[in-house]
């Protein structure tokens, strides 16, 4: 297979004399053209060549530009690692002929809500509320949601600097109980921006925390923005949505949006590459854990060949070197290291010899030892010696009958079952790549929030659907014996209707595949925990690993080792650069020059 070229290489190879002539003409005329207008609030006359910076890039309002030439020139001034959008392009087929190697027609649909006929929804929620962005903490939370959704990041100070803008409006959804920001939307007021004679407005960057347990956040954000612009006297609210985003389109159509023939044009850059470049065969069938690595590889110009999409296998080629991977497991991890991680009893012995704190453990076949361990600790963990994704794991068992039942369930996963003392606290996953910490996150068990109407079964099924949609089917909440045991401990059943706002933990295990949520703590994790995770990786001799601890808190040094995962899900840890560090490990020469130098200097310092 021929090596796949980067977008820059394709553009360079495909440039015609006509395109080069146009670029020279454009450069010669640069000083003759009026600059792009970055509009200040309060100006009332109709403006021309309007482009507004939104942090992730600029929105260029094509109807304000005098001609297509000036619009193409404006797009050419896109900032590094930004994503500009030329919106309301009147004749994209003509514009694209001016710079065919640099621009492309965005494969998105435009939808419009007529605000003269829009009626506010009656639904209200007590679990969260919508408000304006008001602090730098809000800005950081919004940026984290963008990262979790694979969107272009924004400097938090940008949000804060524009918090009082009359042209841009930022709304956030705040969880009533925790105070966490769980959703965001941005609106642009065209009247205040450039005195739009059509009195329009537009919606951008609707994003909801994929791990939020509350329903309807996206709908409430859209409604709040629509009502905001309706009160300002706007005639309509427009938005651009990817043509294949069926879930979002269904929401917009439910709210009364209708598709209109309006187009957008973007530049060919690394961020947009998957929108205009030929797709890798099998890419769509990859799960999120493989896809995040493939996306980063393609961004670096690394050739990708999907060898088995269903299993998550792909081959990466760069500089004449090929590495076969299954998600984050690559040929750089030895078979011995995989074997150590595969057997939890072996893993425990290896890291214990390296000085890590481990829980007391016995084999489930030794009934006397199990009884003694239960009497000594009062609470136990049952898990199969081999297995992944939390299958067969039961936590916090304090009765012999529950232990026996959990052992029977674990045997369906693996014949050999282990019993451990239960350490009360939080489940901490640390991602170690090249024996350095890259990400740390607390994983919390799935829980539902009562609304005073639905029973627990319905709440679980509703949240499970949202989790599946947010993770491409990778995370759902099973209803099984473990779920029933957990509910019984709270005097609940599946038919219980919890009061509004009451939180019900539906499983004690925090594994993401069984509906758990993950919360980044990389910036606050205690150095002793980092050191222990790196020592575990070195003891196993594994270059990429997810190390699991139970901790009192991520900011405290106390822990017990639980297990090591040889194929950790890197997609779970955004905004931390897990995929970037993984490709750095495999192909260090694909790093930007500055990063390569920093890496060499770090190795020299060690």
């Amino acid at each position: 297979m021929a090596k796949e070229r980067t977008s820059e290489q394709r553009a360079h190879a495909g440039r015609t004399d006509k395109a080069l002539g146009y670029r020279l003409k454009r450069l010669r005329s640069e000083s003759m053209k009026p600059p792009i207008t970055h509009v200040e609030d309060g100006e009332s006359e109709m403006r021309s060549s309007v482009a507004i910076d939104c942090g992730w890039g600029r929105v260029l309002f094509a109807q304000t530009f005098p001609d297509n030439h000036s619009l193409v020139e404006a797009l050419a001034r896109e900032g590094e690692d930004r994503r500009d959008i030329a919106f309301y392009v009147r004749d994209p087929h003509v514009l694209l002929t001016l710079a065919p190697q640099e621009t492309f027609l965005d494969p998105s649909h435009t939808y419009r809500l007529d605000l003269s006929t829009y009626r506010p929804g009656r639904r209200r929620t007590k679990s969260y509320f919508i408000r304006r962005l008001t602090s730098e903490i809000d800005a950081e939370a919004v940026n984290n949601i963008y990262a979790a959704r694979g969107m272009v990041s924004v400097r938090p100070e940008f949000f804060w600097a524009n918090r009082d803008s009359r042209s841009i409006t930022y709304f956030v959804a705040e969880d009533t109980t925790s105070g966490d920001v769980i959703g965001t939307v941005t609106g642009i007021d065209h009247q205040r921006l450039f005195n739009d004679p059509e009195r329009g407005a537009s919606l951008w960057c609707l994003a909801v925390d994929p791990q939020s347990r509350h329903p309807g956040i996206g709908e409430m954000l859209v409604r709040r923005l629509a009502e905001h612009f309706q009160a300002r006297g706007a005639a309509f609210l427009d938005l651009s949505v990817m043509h294949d985003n069926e879930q979002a389109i269904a929401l917009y159509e439910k709210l009364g949006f209708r598709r209109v023939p309006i187009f957008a044009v973007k530049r060919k850059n690394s961020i947009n590459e998957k929108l205009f470049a030929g797709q890798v065969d099998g890419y769509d069938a990859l799960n999120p854990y493989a896809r995040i690595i493939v996306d980063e590889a393609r961004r670096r110009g690394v050739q990708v060949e999907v060898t088995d999409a269903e299993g998550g296998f792909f081959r990466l080629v760069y500089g004449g070197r090929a590495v076969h991977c299954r998600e984050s497991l690559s040929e750089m991890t030895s078979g011995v290291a995989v074997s150590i991680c595969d057997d939890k009893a072996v893993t425990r012995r290896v890291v214990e010899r390296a000085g890590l704190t481990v829980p007391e453990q016995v084999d489930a076949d030794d009934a006397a030892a199990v009884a003694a361990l239960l009497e000594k600790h009062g609470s136990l963990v049952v898990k199969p010696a081999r297995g992944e994704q939390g299958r067969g794991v039961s936590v916090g068992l304090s009765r012999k009958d529950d232990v026996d039942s959990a052992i029977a369930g674990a045997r369906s996963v693996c014949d050999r079952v282990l019993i451990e003392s239960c350490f009360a606290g939080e489940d901490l996953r640390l991602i170690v790549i090249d024996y350095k910490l890259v990400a740390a996150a607390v994983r919390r068990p799935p829980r539902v929030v009562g609304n005073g109407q639905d029973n627990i079964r319905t709440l679980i099924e509703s949240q499970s659907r949202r989790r599946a949609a947010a993770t491409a089917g990778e995370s759902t909440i099973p209803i099984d014996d473990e779920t029933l045991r957990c509910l019984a401990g709270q005097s609940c059943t599946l038919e219980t209707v919890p009061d509004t706002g009451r939180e019900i933990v539906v499983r004690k295990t925090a594994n993401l595949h069984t509906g758990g949520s993950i919360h980044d703590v990389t910036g606050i994790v205690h150095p002793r925990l980092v050191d222990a995770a790196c020592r575990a990786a070195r003891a196993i001799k594994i270059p990429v690993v997810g190390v699991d601890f139970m901790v009192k808190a991520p900011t405290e040094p106390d822990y017990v080792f639980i297990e090591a995962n040889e194929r950790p899900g890197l997609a779970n840890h955004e905004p931390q650069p897990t995929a970037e560090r993984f490709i750095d490990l495999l192909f260090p020469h694909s790093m930007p020059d500055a990063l390569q130098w920093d890496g060499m200097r770090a190795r020299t310092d060690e």
Side-chain angles (χ1 to χ4, degrees), residues 171-414:
F171 285 117
V172 296
E174 178 181 321
D175 186 300
T176 306
T177 303
S178 67
D180 293 337
V181 170
I182 54 178
T184 179
V185 69
T186 301
I188 298 179
D189 188 328
H190 303 178
Q191 292 178 275
R192 300 195 180 195
L193 180 62
F194 57 89
N195 197 25
D196 179 15
E198 295 184 291
R199 297 184 296 113
S202 52
L203 178 156
W204 301 92
C205 296
L206 174 66
V208 175
D209 184 344
Q211 300 185 98
S212 175
R213 57 192 180 276
H214 303 297
I217 300 170
E219 176 181 342
M220 297 301 286
L221 283 164
V222 175
R223 286 190 180 279
R224 180 68 182 86
L225 190 67
E227 292 161 18
H228 168 74
F229 285 127
Q230 188 180 52
R232 280 190 173 187
F236 59 81
L237 178 65
D238 285 351
L239 59 86
S240 180
V241 58
M242 285 297 297
H243 70 95
D244 56 356
N245 191 344
E246 296 178 359
Q247 188 177 14
I249 289 173
L251 167 63
Y252 299 138
E253 291 181 342
K254 168 188 171 184
L255 296 178
F257 284 83
R258 295 293 177 262
R259 187 175 165 188
V260 290
I262 292 173
F263 304 97
V265 170
K266 296 177 181 176
R267 289 194 71 242
K268 293 180 178 179
N269 57 30
S270 60
I271 296 173
N272 294 324
E273 183 167 3
K274 60 185 177 183
L275 300 180
F276 65 83
Q279 190 62 274
V280 174
D281 289 342
Y283 176 86
D284 289 339
L286 292 173
N287 64 33
Y289 307 111
R291 194 174 293 181
I292 188 175
I293 297 171
V294 167
D295 287 345
E296 176 62 18
R298 296 189 72 196
R299 190 182 70 81
R300 301 267 194 102
V302 176
Q303 179 185 333
V304 177
E305 177 191 357
V306 177
T307 54
D308 187 280
E310 186 176 349
F313 289 89
F314 51 89
R315 181 177 289 106
L316 304 179
V317 182
Y318 185 85
R321 179 168 175 263
V323 180
H324 206 182
C325 304
R326 183 183 187 190
E327 300 166 10
S328 63
L329 176 64
S330 77
E331 294 173 332
M332 296 187 69
T333 297
S334 71
V336 172
V338 171
S339 181
I340 291 172
C341 292
D342 181 56
D343 190 319
K344 295 177 176 59
V346 175
T347 316
R348 177 183 177 279
R349 292 196 295 269
V350 169
V351 301
E352 185 178 20
R353 286 194 291 269
L356 272 72
T357 304
V358 298
E360 191 171 353
Q361 184 184 91
V362 298
D363 196 290
D365 291 332
D366 190 339
V370 172
L373 194 67
L374 179 59
E375 183 178 355
K376 178 179 179 180
H377 294 283
S379 182
L380 300 180
V381 175
V382 173
K383 60 185 180 183
R386 287 188 169 91
E388 58 183 11
Q389 299 181 353
R391 288 191 293 265
V393 178
S394 299
V395 177
L397 305 176
S398 57
R399 301 190 325 156
K400 182 179 183 302
D401 289 347
D402 289 340
V403 173
D404 292 340
S405 178
I407 290 172
R411 290 199 195 280
S412 67
V413 178
C414 178

Side-chain angles (χ1 to χ4, degrees), residues 444-460:
R444 292 179 181 143
R447 60 195 70 197
V448 296
V449 179
N451 58 13
Q453 300 176 359
D454 297 320
N455 62 27
I456 292 176
R457 182 191 297 275
T458 301
L459 293 171
I460 290 175

Side-chain angles (χ1 to χ4, degrees), residues 24-294:
L24 290 172
K25 180 180 177 181
R26 186 186 72 190
L27 291 171
R28 285 196 297 270
S29 64
E30 195 75 44
S31 60
M32 301 172 63
K33 293 286 184 182
I36 298 175
T37 302
H38 296 277
V39 180
E40 298 294 335
D41 291 338
E43 297 180 348
S44 59
E45 64 179 14
M46 175 67 177
R47 305 294 305 190
S48 63
S49 301
V50 175
I52 186 166
D53 188 1
C54 297
W56 41 263
R58 300 170 301 163
V59 176
L60 287 70
F61 289 87
Q63 71 269 45
T64 69
F65 283 75
D67 52 48
N68 283 324
H69 285 276
S70 59
L71 185 56
V72 169
E73 290 172 8
L75 277 171
R77 293 196 282 273
E78 179 181 72
E80 185 177 357
D81 294 327
R82 301 293 91 181
R83 178 187 247 175
D84 287 356
I85 301 175
F87 201 37
Y88 299 103
V89 178
R90 290 181 292 270
D91 44 7
H93 56 296
V94 176
L95 185 149
L96 294 174
T97 64
L98 300 178
Q101 303 300 329
E102 298 178 9
T103 58
F104 70 98
L105 185 64
D106 182 35
S108 296
H109 296 324
T110 301
Y111 278 79
R112 172 169 292 179
L113 180 66
D114 184 347
L115 294 178
S116 67
T117 60
Y118 170 75
R119 294 294 177 265
R122 295 181 178 180
R123 179 171 170 266
R124 294 292 181 265
T125 176
K126 296 181 180 179
S127 301
Y128 60 90
F129 59 94
I130 311 299
R131 60 169 175 79
R132 292 283 193 112
L133 183 147
T134 58
S135 70
E136 291 186 76
I137 294 176
D138 286 349
E140 291 174 1
V142 167
N143 213 29
N144 288 338
I145 292 175
Y146 283 177
R149 286 296 190 180
M151 299 162 67
V152 179
S153 61
V154 179
R155 300 186 317 277
E157 57 267 26
F158 178 88
F159 290 116
W160 185 239
N162 286 276
R163 67 191 183 281
D164 296 323
S165 170
R166 298 174 71 246
S167 300
I168 303 181
T169 300
Y170 300 106
F171 285 117
V172 296
E174 178 181 321
D175 186 300
T176 306
T177 303
S178 67
D180 293 337
V181 170
I182 54 178
T184 179
V185 69
T186 301
I188 298 179
D189 188 328
H190 303 178
Q191 292 178 275
R192 300 195 180 195
L193 180 62
F194 57 89
N195 197 25
D196 179 15
E198 295 184 291
R199 297 184 296 113
S202 52
L203 178 156
W204 301 92
C205 296
L206 174 66
V208 175
D209 184 344
Q211 300 185 98
S212 175
R213 57 192 180 276
H214 303 297
I217 300 170
E219 176 181 342
M220 297 301 286
L221 283 164
V222 175
R223 286 190 180 279
R224 180 68 182 86
L225 190 67
E227 292 161 18
H228 168 74
F229 285 127
Q230 188 180 52
R232 280 190 173 187
F236 59 81
L237 178 65
D238 285 351
L239 59 86
S240 180
V241 58
M242 285 297 297
H243 70 95
D244 56 356
N245 191 344
E246 296 178 359
Q247 188 177 14
I249 289 173
L251 167 63
Y252 299 138
E253 291 181 342
K254 168 188 171 184
L255 296 178
F257 284 83
R258 295 293 177 262
R259 187 175 165 188
V260 290
I262 292 173
F263 304 97
V265 170
K266 296 177 181 176
R267 289 194 71 242
K268 293 180 178 179
N269 57 30
S270 60
I271 296 173
N272 294 324
E273 183 167 3
K274 60 185 177 183
L275 300 180
F276 65 83
Q279 190 62 274
V280 174
D281 289 342
Y283 176 86
D284 289 339
L286 292 173
N287 64 33
Y289 307 111
R291 194 174 293 181
I292 188 175
I293 297 171
V294 167

Side-chain angles (χ1 to χ4, degrees), residues 516-534:
S517 59
I518 190 164
H519 309 267
D520 182 69
V521 295
T522 307
I524 62 172
V525 66
H526 196 281
R528 183 167 181 248
L529 304 180
V530 175
D531 175 69
C534 293

